[in-house]
Every structure is written in C-alpha cells, then in structure tokens.
Amino acid sequence: MSPFSARTDFPRAWNPLARALAERRARGLPLLDLTETNPTRVGLPTPEPALLASPGALGYTPEPQGLLPAREAVAAHLASRGARVWPEHLVLSASTSESYGWLFKLLCEPGDNVLVPAPSYPLFEYLTRLEGVETRTYCLPRAHGFGLDVGEVAAARDARTRAVLVVNPGNPTGHYLQEGELEALGALCAETGMALLCDEVFSDFAWDEEPGRVATVAGRALPMPTFSLSGLSKVAGLPGLKLGWIHVGGPDAVRDEALARLELVADTYLSVSTPVQLALPGLLAHAPRFQAALLERVRENRRRLLQARPKEARWSVVPAQGGWSTVLRLPREPGEEATCLALLDEGVGVQPGYFYDFTGGAFLVLSLLPPPDVFSAAMEPLARVLAASG
C-alpha cells in the first residue's frame, strides 16, 4: 500500500518534445523561445521596488478578506473597467490558483465535479484533483471561434456538477465572452444550480474594441453565485508578488453566505503578505503603464506573424480578440509534435495544441510576449518549416 495520496500521483514521464528541449539546452544551443509567457523576463516595465518597503511592511494585522486599503485598490481597479463593486465583496488570496482551491472547497464535496473548457490552459485538472474534485470538459467549438456554446455546457454536466468555469478571454484562444453567451449561461446556471467561476486574468488585454463583449462579470446582476478571479500576475505583470483576488457576486443572500464561508477559509490560511497588500495601490497604479507596453508588444508581434505567412500557405493564424498568445492551425500531417520537433531543430520553441486539449485538427500555440528581435528572428524558420510540413 502506497503511503501517498492518489491525488498527487500525476504522470511525470517526459514527452519527446520535453526531452528534445532539455537536450538542446544541455548542449548550450541557442533557442528563439516562442513559449515565453513570463512578463518579468521580456523587457516590459516594472514598478519601483521601493513600493514594497512602505511603513508598516513588517507589521501584522490579520484580516481574512485582506486589508481594507488593498481591497479598496482592487475595487477601484475594477471600477476603472466599468464594474460597480464594493470592497466588502472582495477576498484576497496569494494567487489565482489558491483562489480556485478555496472555491472548490466552498462549492464541492469530494467526488463532485466542475465543468472546464477545452481547449484551455492545462491547469484545472491539477487544481481540482488536489481538492478531491473531478473535472468534466465542455467543448469550445472551433466553428464558433472557440467561443462558449451553452449547449455544450448543458451536455457536459451531470447530477454532481457544482460549477462551470469560464476563461474570459480564453487562454490561449483569445475569445471574449459575449453578452448573449453570458445571458444563456446565466439561465442555465439558474435552472441547474451551478455556480459560475470566471477567470479574468487576461481580460485587461483586448487587442481591439467590439460591442457586446463582456469585460468582467464582477458587479453584474446575475442569477447564480458568481466568482470572478484575477490578480497581479497578469494585471500588472508581477507573478512573483503573489496576490490574487476573488469578487463574489450573485443573489444577495447567496453572495453573503459565500462571503461568510470564504472568510473562514481565508482566515485558516492568511496567505497574503502584508508588504504586497500595503503596496497594492501603487502596484495597480503601475498597471496601465505595463499593460500599454504589453499590448503594443503583442499587437506588433502578431502583425509580424501575419506578415510572415505566405498568401498560399496551408497554415493559418486563428482569429482572436485578446490575451498574450496566438494559435496557428496546421494541416493534420505531419502533426503537431513532429512540427514542434522540426522547429526545435531550427532553434525555435513553440507548443503543440494537445498541451491545451485542442481537438479536431492540428494546432500550434505561440506566445506573443518575446522581445521584437527574438520574435522577428523566429519568423523565417517558422514559415520555412511550416511550408515544408504543409
């Protein structure tokens, strides 16, 4: 009998791509890394470190939901995006991942399940399993631009489904939730008793404006328990400072009960550090500067990618509306992994679509964050390998 929990028995075998990448790095060969998504490593603006040395930084005032000035700063940030919210409806955590853990504790008994989108970022299976919760996948149809189809959500649920998770905009697909999609989802949740968890970490990064797009569910009058999640990692490009937030919404009585229960959960952990909470107003004041620089970078790199694609190419850039990544659709042969390995031989790192549960074709995922010289240098070998494989 194993002394370890089955919840932590995740597969650890390396796939061929991971092995080839490790071998390349061990040999000291150069790499044009189009998988880089760490905003602190690509030359984007950062705030003054002195913000973390504010008076009282070494003090300790345990406040389960987070210090009030910090929650007021988050409320002001959300208000700047059109959300009418109050600090008392916010709960601070050490990260969006921790927020998910708390919400799965709040909503689910062991063996219950939550609905997660596919394709999407490969994180939710780990977070749910560590809480003794299962996932059921609902499809984001390519025919809808990888947008939400409430019929797919309804078909995926069963008697033990407690919540549906929406990523807005999708990561890496970049599709924003639309007003009609949210209305239909709200009706389904109200009918079936599901809560809505809306991951909005990339929602500040729209590439353009479009009517009918949902920027945030925070502050919306929705008929189900609603939790919108975000944090400093993406909003201000500061993943190392470890601060996230949950806005709790929905019908008043349900919202207040959720807040009371979350307060006890958060009080059990008290995980958010005092220095980052005290610095939060200044850190969020820095966010517009960071976001403007990042959006300029992302738009320009995407322009370079579109320009590098020959008109007759059999591969295409999937339309999207925001985020930090882009998706390429390829011919089915020779396939995702073979194409990634061929690109790696040319010194270009990309990710296969199966990392994100893409189905119905072959896809590659590229980060749009790398510095312009890196991204530009990767375009010629990228186009050459894709032309040869197509």
Side-chain angles (χ1 to χ4, degrees):
M1 179 177 178
S2 171
F4 303 112
S5 165
R7 288 178 295 172
T8 59
D9 188 18
F10 294 104
R12 286 174 287 175
W14 284 24
N15 59 45
L17 184 58
R19 287 196 298 270
L21 180 59
E23 290 169 5
R24 185 177 186 88
R25 286 174 169 159
R27 293 166 59 193
L29 297 176
L31 180 68
L32 298 168
D33 189 0
L34 302 191
T35 72
E36 179 62 82
T37 56
N38 183 338
T40 69
R41 294 198 296 227
V42 292
L44 293 170
T46 57
E48 290 298 324
L51 283 172
L52 294 171
S54 58
L58 299 181
Y60 182 55
T61 306
E63 177 60 46
Q65 287 184 229
L67 298 177
L68 179 58
R71 286 184 284 124
E72 289 174 338
V74 174
H77 164 73
L78 291 171
S80 73
R81 302 178 61 240
R84 191 163 176 255
V85 300
W86 286 265
E88 55 265 32
H89 298 159
L90 288 160
V91 180
L92 305 187
S93 68
S95 67
T96 306
S97 293
E98 183 174 65
S99 294
Y100 277 120
W102 291 358
L103 291 174
F104 297 147
K105 291 178 176 68
L106 173 72
L107 298 169
C108 301
E109 302 291 351
D112 285 344
N113 67 73
V114 297
L115 306 183
V116 301
S120 192
Y121 188 73
L123 176 68
F124 305 122
E125 181 182 353
Y126 295 90
L127 294 174
T128 51
R129 183 165 160 181
L130 289 171
E131 301 297 336
V133 176
E134 299 176 3
T135 58
R136 291 175 66 87
T137 299
Y138 67 91
C139 177
L140 300 176
R142 185 171 60 83
H144 292 194
F146 297 108
L148 186 141
D149 181 337
V150 75
E152 295 284 349
V153 177
R157 66 173 295 275
D158 69 7
R160 298 204 65 175
T161 301
R162 303 302 302 274
V164 55
L165 196 156
V166 172
V167 183
N168 183 37
N171 178 25
T173 56
H175 178 91
Y176 275 84
L177 187 66
Q178 305 294 304
E179 289 291 347
E181 296 168 353
L182 178 59
E183 181 179 2
L185 185 60
L188 176 65
C189 288
E191 176 188 347
T192 59
M194 290 190 297
L196 171 63
L197 280 59
C198 194
D199 187 321
E200 300 178 347
V201 297
F202 288 108
S203 63
D204 286 352
F205 300 98
W207 301 340
D208 53 30
E209 295 184 3
E210 180 186 42
R213 182 181 295 169
V214 176
T216 176
V217 299
R220 300 288 294 263
L222 294 169
M224 65 293 207
T226 305
F227 307 89
S228 66
L229 292 73
S230 191
L232 282 182
S233 176
K234 305 301 187 295
V235 166
L238 298 168
L241 293 191
K242 309 308 297 177
L243 188 141
W245 54 80
I246 307 167
H247 179 271
V248 183
D252 290 356
V254 176
R255 178 202 63 211
D256 292 346
E257 181 65 17
L259 281 164
R261 293 180 180 229
L262 275 175
E263 181 176 1
L264 180 58
V265 174
D267 193 32
T268 304
Y269 290 85
L270 292 174
S271 55
V272 190
S273 76
T274 298
V276 72
Q277 290 189 76
L278 295 177
L280 192 56
L283 297 172
L284 288 176
H286 154 77
R289 177 169 166 254
F290 163 76
Q291 291 178 10
L294 184 142
L295 280 169
E296 181 180 0
R297 169 81 56 84
V298 163
R299 291 184 182 116
E300 184 59 21
N301 281 344
R302 186 172 169 85
R303 184 194 67 78
R304 291 185 178 94
L305 176 62
L306 292 168
Q307 190 176 51
R309 179 187 177 273
K311 290 183 179 179
E312 70 281 2
R314 295 183 61 203
W315 59 275
S316 59
V317 181
V318 175
Q321 302 159 350
W324 296 4
S325 300
T326 193
V327 179
L328 308 186
R329 188 175 183 219
L330 314 177
R332 287 182 180 269
E333 297 296 335
E336 297 173 351
E337 190 163 77
T339 303
C340 288
L341 289 168
L343 283 166
L344 195 57
D345 285 342
E346 296 290 331
V348 178
V350 300
Q351 292 180 318
Y354 71 76
F355 278 10
Y356 298 85
D357 289 335
F358 279 91
T359 58
F363 299 88
L364 298 182
V365 177
L366 281 60
S367 169
L368 295 171
L369 285 199
D373 59 329
V374 173
F375 201 89
S376 294
M379 291 300 96
E380 188 278 330
L382 177 78
R384 175 162 38 83
V385 169
L386 292 182
S389 64

Coordinates of all heavy atoms in Angstrom, one line a residue, residues 196-257:
L196 N -20.9 30.0 -11.2 CA -20.1 30.5 -12.3 C -18.7 30.9 -11.7 O -18.7 31.8 -10.8 CB -20.7 31.6 -13.1 CG -19.8 32.3 -14.1 CD1 -19.4 31.3 -15.2 CD2 -20.5 33.5 -14.7
L197 N -17.6 30.3 -12.2 CA -16.3 30.8 -11.9 C -15.7 31.4 -13.2 O -15.6 30.7 -14.2 CB -15.4 29.6 -11.4 CG -15.5 29.2 -10.0 CD1 -16.9 28.7 -9.6 CD2 -14.5 28.0 -9.7
C198 N -15.4 32.7 -13.1 CA -15.0 33.4 -14.3 C -13.5 33.8 -14.1 O -13.3 34.7 -13.3 CB -15.9 34.5 -14.7 SG -15.6 35.2 -16.3
D199 N -12.6 33.2 -14.9 CA -11.2 33.5 -14.8 C -10.9 34.7 -15.8 O -11.0 34.6 -17.0 CB -10.4 32.3 -15.3 CG -8.9 32.5 -15.1 OD1 -8.4 33.6 -15.3 OD2 -8.2 31.5 -14.7
E200 N -10.6 35.9 -15.2 CA -10.5 37.1 -15.9 C -9.1 37.6 -15.9 O -8.8 38.8 -16.1 CB -11.5 38.1 -15.4 CG -12.9 37.7 -15.5 CD -13.9 38.6 -15.0 OE1 -13.5 39.6 -14.3 OE2 -15.1 38.4 -15.2
V201 N -8.1 36.8 -15.8 CA -6.7 37.2 -15.6 C -6.2 38.0 -16.9 O -5.3 38.8 -16.8 CB -5.7 36.1 -15.2 CG1 -6.1 35.5 -13.9 CG2 -5.7 35.0 -16.3
F202 N -6.7 37.6 -18.1 CA -6.3 38.3 -19.3 C -7.3 39.3 -19.8 O -7.1 39.8 -20.9 CB -6.0 37.2 -20.4 CG -4.8 36.4 -20.1 CD1 -4.9 35.0 -19.8 CD2 -3.5 36.9 -20.3 CE1 -3.8 34.3 -19.6 CE2 -2.4 36.1 -20.1 CZ -2.5 34.8 -19.7
S203 N -8.3 39.6 -19.0 CA -9.4 40.4 -19.6 C -9.0 41.8 -19.8 O -9.7 42.6 -20.6 CB -10.6 40.4 -18.7 OG -10.3 40.9 -17.4
D204 N -7.9 42.3 -19.2 CA -7.5 43.7 -19.5 C -6.8 43.8 -20.8 O -6.4 44.9 -21.3 CB -6.5 44.2 -18.4 CG -7.2 44.5 -17.1 OD1 -8.4 44.5 -17.1 OD2 -6.5 44.7 -16.1
F205 N -6.5 42.7 -21.5 CA -5.6 42.7 -22.7 C -6.4 42.4 -24.0 O -6.1 41.5 -24.8 CB -4.5 41.7 -22.5 CG -3.7 42.0 -21.3 CD1 -3.9 41.3 -20.1 CD2 -2.7 43.0 -21.3 CE1 -3.2 41.6 -18.9 CE2 -2.0 43.3 -20.1 CZ -2.2 42.6 -19.0
A206 N -7.4 43.3 -24.2 CA -8.1 43.2 -25.5 C -7.3 43.9 -26.6 O -6.8 45.0 -26.4 CB -9.5 43.9 -25.4
W207 N -7.2 43.3 -27.8 CA -6.5 43.9 -28.9 C -7.2 45.0 -29.6 O -6.6 45.8 -30.3 CB -6.1 42.8 -29.9 CG -5.3 41.7 -29.2 CD1 -4.6 41.7 -28.1 CD2 -5.1 40.4 -29.8 NE1 -4.0 40.5 -27.8 CE2 -4.3 39.7 -28.9 CE3 -5.5 39.7 -30.9 CZ2 -3.9 38.4 -29.1 CZ3 -5.2 38.4 -31.1 CH2 -4.3 37.7 -30.2
D208 N -8.5 45.0 -29.4 CA -9.4 46.0 -30.1 C -10.7 46.1 -29.3 O -10.8 45.5 -28.3 CB -9.7 45.6 -31.6 CG -10.2 44.2 -31.7 OD1 -10.9 43.7 -30.7 OD2 -10.0 43.5 -32.7
E209 N -11.6 46.9 -29.8 CA -12.9 47.1 -29.2 C -13.9 46.5 -30.0 O -13.9 46.4 -31.2 CB -13.2 48.6 -29.0 CG -12.2 49.3 -28.0 CD -12.6 50.7 -27.8 OE1 -13.7 51.2 -28.3 OE2 -11.9 51.4 -27.1
E210 N -14.9 45.9 -29.3 CA -16.0 45.2 -30.0 C -17.3 45.3 -29.2 O -17.3 45.1 -28.0 CB -15.6 43.8 -30.3 CG -16.7 43.0 -31.0 CD -16.3 41.5 -31.0 OE1 -15.9 40.9 -30.0 OE2 -16.6 40.9 -32.1
P211 N -18.4 45.7 -29.8 CA -19.7 45.8 -29.0 C -20.1 44.4 -28.6 O -19.8 43.4 -29.3 CB -20.7 46.4 -30.0 CG -20.1 46.1 -31.3 CD -18.6 46.2 -31.2
G212 N -20.7 44.3 -27.4 CA -21.2 43.0 -26.9 C -20.2 42.2 -26.2 O -20.6 41.0 -25.8
R213 N -19.1 42.7 -26.0 CA -18.0 41.9 -25.3 C -18.1 42.1 -23.8 O -18.3 43.2 -23.3 CB -16.6 42.3 -25.8 CG -15.5 41.6 -25.2 CD -14.2 42.1 -25.8 NE -14.1 41.9 -27.2 CZ -13.1 42.5 -28.0 NH1 -12.3 43.4 -27.5 NH2 -13.1 42.3 -29.3
V214 N -18.0 41.0 -23.0 CA -18.1 41.1 -21.5 C -16.6 41.3 -21.0 O -15.8 40.4 -21.2 CB -18.7 39.8 -21.0 CG1 -18.6 39.8 -19.4 CG2 -20.1 39.6 -21.5
A215 N -16.4 42.4 -20.4 CA -15.1 42.7 -19.9 C -14.9 42.0 -18.5 O -13.8 41.5 -18.2 CB -14.9 44.2 -19.7
T216 N -15.9 42.0 -17.7 CA -15.9 41.3 -16.4 C -17.3 41.0 -16.0 O -18.2 41.7 -16.3 CB -15.2 42.2 -15.4 OG1 -15.2 41.6 -14.1 CG2 -15.8 43.6 -15.2
V217 N -17.4 39.9 -15.2 CA -18.7 39.6 -14.6 C -18.9 40.2 -13.2 O -19.9 40.2 -12.6 CB -19.0 38.1 -14.5 CG1 -19.0 37.5 -15.9 CG2 -18.0 37.4 -13.6
A218 N -17.8 40.8 -12.7 CA -17.8 41.5 -11.4 C -18.8 42.6 -11.4 O -18.8 43.5 -12.3 CB -16.5 42.0 -11.0
G219 N -19.7 42.7 -10.4 CA -20.7 43.8 -10.3 C -21.9 43.6 -11.2 O -22.8 44.4 -11.2
R220 N -22.0 42.4 -11.9 CA -23.2 42.2 -12.8 C -24.3 41.6 -11.9 O -24.0 40.8 -11.0 CB -22.8 41.2 -13.9 CG -21.7 41.7 -14.8 CD -22.2 42.9 -15.7 NE -23.2 42.4 -16.6 CZ -23.0 42.0 -17.9 NH1 -21.7 42.1 -18.4 NH2 -23.9 41.6 -18.7
A221 N -25.5 41.9 -12.2 CA -26.7 41.3 -11.6 C -27.0 40.0 -12.3 O -27.7 39.9 -13.3 CB -27.9 42.2 -11.7
L222 N -26.4 38.9 -11.7 CA -26.6 37.6 -12.3 C -27.3 36.6 -11.4 O -27.2 36.8 -10.2 CB -25.2 37.0 -12.7 CG -24.4 37.8 -13.8 CD1 -23.0 37.3 -13.8 CD2 -25.1 37.6 -15.1
P223 N -28.0 35.6 -11.9 CA -28.9 34.8 -11.1 C -28.3 33.7 -10.3 O -29.0 33.0 -9.7 CB -29.9 34.3 -12.1 CG -29.1 34.2 -13.4 CD -28.2 35.3 -13.4
M224 N -27.0 33.5 -10.4 CA -26.3 32.4 -9.8 C -25.1 32.9 -9.0 O -24.6 34.0 -9.2 CB -25.8 31.4 -10.9 CG -24.7 31.9 -11.8 SD -25.3 33.2 -12.9 CE -24.2 33.0 -14.3
P225 N -24.6 32.1 -8.0 CA -23.4 32.5 -7.3 C -22.3 32.7 -8.4 O -22.0 31.9 -9.2 CB -23.1 31.3 -6.4 CG -24.3 30.6 -6.3 CD -25.1 30.8 -7.6
T226 N -21.6 33.9 -8.3 CA -20.7 34.3 -9.4 C -19.4 34.7 -8.7 O -19.3 35.5 -7.8 CB -21.2 35.4 -10.2 OG1 -22.5 35.0 -10.7 CG2 -20.3 35.8 -11.3
F227 N -18.3 34.2 -9.2 CA -16.9 34.4 -8.7 C -16.0 34.8 -9.8 O -15.8 34.0 -10.7 CB -16.4 33.2 -7.9 CG -17.3 32.7 -6.9 CD1 -18.3 31.7 -7.2 CD2 -17.3 33.1 -5.6 CE1 -19.1 31.2 -6.3 CE2 -18.1 32.7 -4.6 CZ -19.1 31.7 -5.0
S228 N -15.6 36.1 -9.8 CA -14.6 36.5 -10.9 C -13.2 36.5 -10.2 O -13.0 37.0 -9.1 CB -15.0 37.8 -11.5 OG -14.9 38.9 -10.5
L229 N -12.2 36.0 -10.9 CA -10.9 35.8 -10.4 C -9.9 36.6 -11.3 O -9.9 36.6 -12.5 CB -10.5 34.4 -10.4 CG -11.2 33.4 -9.4 CD1 -12.6 33.1 -9.9 CD2 -10.4 32.1 -9.3
S230 N -8.9 37.2 -10.6 CA -7.8 37.8 -11.3 C -6.7 38.1 -10.3 O -6.8 37.6 -9.2 CB -8.2 39.1 -12.0 OG -7.2 39.6 -12.9
G231 N -5.6 38.8 -10.7 CA -4.6 39.1 -9.8 C -3.4 39.8 -10.4 O -3.4 40.1 -11.6
L232 N -2.4 40.1 -9.6 CA -1.2 40.9 -10.0 C -0.4 40.2 -11.1 O 0.3 40.8 -11.9 CB -0.3 41.2 -8.8 CG -0.8 42.3 -7.9 CD1 0.3 42.5 -6.8 CD2 -1.0 43.6 -8.6
S233 N -0.5 38.9 -11.1 CA 0.4 38.1 -12.0 C 0.3 38.6 -13.5 O 1.3 38.9 -14.2 CB 0.1 36.6 -12.0 OG 0.8 35.9 -12.9
K234 N -1.0 38.8 -13.9 CA -1.2 39.3 -15.3 C -1.6 40.7 -15.3 O -1.1 41.5 -16.2 CB -2.4 38.4 -15.9 CG -2.2 36.9 -15.9 CD -0.9 36.5 -16.6 CE -0.8 35.0 -16.7 NZ -0.7 34.3 -15.4
V235 N -2.4 41.2 -14.4 CA -2.9 42.6 -14.5 C -1.7 43.6 -14.4 O -1.7 44.6 -15.2 CB -3.9 42.9 -13.3 CG1 -4.1 44.4 -13.1 CG2 -5.2 42.2 -13.6
A236 N -0.7 43.3 -13.6 CA 0.4 44.2 -13.5 C 1.8 43.5 -13.9 O 2.8 44.1 -13.8 CB 0.6 44.8 -12.1
G237 N 1.7 42.3 -14.4 CA 2.9 41.6 -14.8 C 3.8 41.3 -13.7 O 5.0 41.3 -13.9
L238 N 3.3 40.9 -12.5 CA 4.1 40.7 -11.3 C 3.7 39.4 -10.7 O 3.3 39.3 -9.6 CB 3.8 41.9 -10.3 CG 4.2 43.2 -10.8 CD1 3.7 44.3 -9.9 CD2 5.7 43.4 -11.0
P239 N 4.0 38.3 -11.4 CA 3.7 36.9 -10.8 C 4.4 36.6 -9.5 O 3.9 35.8 -8.7 CB 4.1 36.0 -11.9 CG 5.1 36.7 -12.8 CD 4.7 38.1 -12.7
G240 N 5.6 37.2 -9.3 CA 6.4 36.9 -8.1 C 5.8 37.5 -6.8 O 6.2 37.1 -5.7
L241 N 4.9 38.5 -6.9 CA 4.4 39.2 -5.7 C 3.2 38.5 -5.1 O 2.8 38.8 -4.0 CB 4.1 40.6 -6.1 CG 5.3 41.5 -6.4 CD1 4.9 43.0 -6.5 CD2 6.4 41.3 -5.4
K242 N 2.7 37.5 -5.8 CA 1.7 36.6 -5.2 C 0.5 37.2 -4.5 O 0.4 37.2 -3.3 CB 2.4 35.7 -4.2 CG 3.7 34.9 -4.7 CD 3.4 34.2 -6.0 CE 2.4 33.1 -5.9 NZ 2.2 32.4 -7.2
L243 N -0.3 37.9 -5.3 CA -1.6 38.4 -4.8 C -2.6 38.2 -5.9 O -2.5 38.7 -7.0 CB -1.4 39.9 -4.4 CG -2.7 40.4 -3.7 CD1 -2.3 41.3 -2.5 CD2 -3.6 41.1 -4.6
G244 N -3.7 37.6 -5.5 CA -4.9 37.5 -6.4 C -6.1 37.9 -5.7 O -6.1 38.3 -4.5
W245 N -7.2 38.0 -6.4 CA -8.5 38.4 -5.7 C -9.7 37.6 -6.4 O -9.6 37.2 -7.5 CB -8.7 39.9 -5.8 CG -8.6 40.5 -7.2 CD1 -9.6 40.5 -8.2 CD2 -7.5 41.2 -7.8 NE1 -9.2 41.2 -9.3 CE2 -7.9 41.6 -9.1 CE3 -6.2 41.5 -7.3 CZ2 -7.0 42.3 -9.9 CZ3 -5.4 42.2 -8.1 CH2 -5.8 42.6 -9.4
I246 N -10.7 37.5 -5.5 CA -12.0 36.9 -5.9 C -13.0 38.0 -5.7 O -13.1 38.6 -4.5 CB -12.4 35.7 -5.1 CG1 -11.2 34.7 -5.1 CG2 -13.7 35.1 -5.6 CD1 -11.4 33.6 -4.0
H247 N -13.8 38.3 -6.7 CA -15.0 39.1 -6.4 C -16.2 38.2 -6.4 O -16.4 37.4 -7.3 CB -15.3 40.2 -7.5 CG -16.5 41.0 -7.3 ND1 -17.8 40.6 -7.8 CD2 -16.7 42.1 -6.6 CE1 -18.7 41.4 -7.4 NE2 -18.1 42.4 -6.6
V248 N -17.0 38.3 -5.3 CA -18.1 37.4 -5.1 C -19.4 38.2 -5.4 O -19.7 39.3 -4.9 CB -18.2 37.0 -3.6 CG1 -19.3 36.0 -3.4 CG2 -16.8 36.3 -3.2
G249 N -20.2 37.6 -6.3 CA -21.5 38.2 -6.7 C -22.6 37.2 -6.7 O -22.5 36.0 -6.3
G250 N -23.7 37.6 -7.3 CA -24.9 36.8 -7.4 C -26.0 37.3 -6.5 O -25.9 38.4 -5.9
P251 N -27.1 36.6 -6.3 CA -28.2 37.0 -5.5 C -27.7 37.3 -4.1 O -26.8 36.6 -3.5 CB -29.2 35.8 -5.5 CG -28.9 35.1 -6.8 CD -27.4 35.3 -7.0
D252 N -28.3 38.3 -3.4 CA -27.7 38.9 -2.2 C -27.5 37.8 -1.1 O -26.4 37.8 -0.5 CB -28.6 40.0 -1.6 CG -28.6 41.2 -2.5 OD1 -27.8 41.3 -3.5 OD2 -29.3 42.2 -2.2
A253 N -28.5 37.0 -0.8 CA -28.4 36.1 0.3 C -27.3 35.0 0.0 O -26.5 34.7 0.9 CB -29.7 35.4 0.5
V254 N -27.2 34.5 -1.2 CA -26.2 33.5 -1.6 C -24.8 34.2 -1.6 O -23.9 33.6 -1.1 CB -26.6 33.0 -3.0 CG1 -25.5 32.0 -3.4 CG2 -27.9 32.3 -3.0
R255 N -24.7 35.4 -2.1 CA -23.4 36.1 -2.1 C -23.0 36.3 -0.6 O -21.8 36.0 -0.3 CB -23.6 37.5 -2.7 CG -22.3 38.3 -2.7 CD -22.7 39.8 -2.9 NE -23.5 40.3 -1.8 CZ -24.4 41.2 -1.9 NH1 -24.7 41.8 -3.0 NH2 -25.1 41.6 -0.8
D256 N -23.8 36.7 0.3 CA -23.4 36.9 1.6 C -23.0 35.6 2.3 O -22.0 35.6 3.1 CB -24.5 37.6 2.4 CG -24.8 39.1 1.9 OD1 -23.9 39.6 1.2 OD2 -25.8 39.6 2.3
E257 N -23.7 34.6 2.1 CA -23.3 33.3 2.7 C -22.0 32.8 2.1 O -21.1 32.3 2.9 CB -24.4 32.2 2.4 CG -24.1 30.9 3.0 CD -24.1 30.8 4.5 OE1 -24.6 31.8 5.1 OE2 -23.6 29.8 5.0

